[in-house]
Each structure stands twice: as C-alpha cells, then as structure tokens.
Amino acid sequence: MAETIPTKSKILKQSSDCFKDSRTQICKELVSEIEKFQLVAFDQNKFKCQSSLLGLQTEIIEAYFFNNFSNEIISLMTPYVIKNC
C-alpha cells in the first residue's frame, strides 16, 4: 500500500494550527508528515526545500516541548517553506 505524501499547503495549515496549540496530536503527527515530505524533496534534489522543512520541523518540536516559553509562537521558517518548496 502506497504512503500518502502530504502537500505543502496541508503542512503549512497544520503547522499554523500547531503553533496555536502545540500540545495537540496533530503536532506529533506533523513531525512525521514533514519527514515524508523531506524525503521527497531530497529525492528531487530540492535541498533548499529540504532544509526549510527541517527548520520548520525543529520549530514544531521546540513548540511541543517548550510550550511554556511563549504563548504566541511565530514560525520563522514558514516563509522559507513557501518560497523553497
């Protein structure tokens, strides 16, 4: 059975939701979804996209584990994902 690769718009929407409430199940699943998208970008030699996705993934992990540092987490990587992917 083939795996479904998430779209850029789905990842951006879910990451936006995740930054609003980083303790949801969506945030945990999103880390894996971004990983799938990274592998596709790697296979297509889109290294700027892959790097941008890695940065977004890092922000999501930080939001999940360090939620108490800020009530409003703003993604710095989202514009790079939009531009490079």
Side-chain angles (χ1 to χ4, degrees), residues 24-47:
T24 64
Q25 183 65 27
I26 290 172
C27 297
K28 291 170 94 175
E29 294 169 1
L30 185 56
V31 172
S32 295
E33 294 292 311
I34 291 174
E35 187 73 26
K36 292 176 193 174
F37 199 45
Q38 282 181 52
L39 291 173
V40 170
F42 174 78
D43 287 342
Q44 296 173 352
N45 294 326
K46 295 180 178 180
F47 301 116

Side-chain angles (χ1 to χ4, degrees), residues 38-85:
Q38 282 181 52
L39 291 173
V40 170
F42 174 78
D43 287 342
Q44 296 173 352
N45 294 326
K46 295 180 178 180
F47 301 116
K48 285 184 179 182
C49 176
Q50 184 185 21
S51 297
S52 300
L53 290 167
L54 282 167
L56 181 61
Q57 189 177 38
T58 301
E59 288 180 343
I60 291 167
I61 291 168
E62 286 179 354
Y64 183 80
F65 286 106
F66 303 115
N67 188 30
N68 58 347
F69 287 147
S70 174
N71 290 336
E72 281 194 33
I73 301 169
I74 299 170
S75 172
L76 300 175
M77 294 306 301
T78 299
Y80 294 101
V81 172
I82 292 169
K83 177 184 174 186
N84 295 322
C85 294

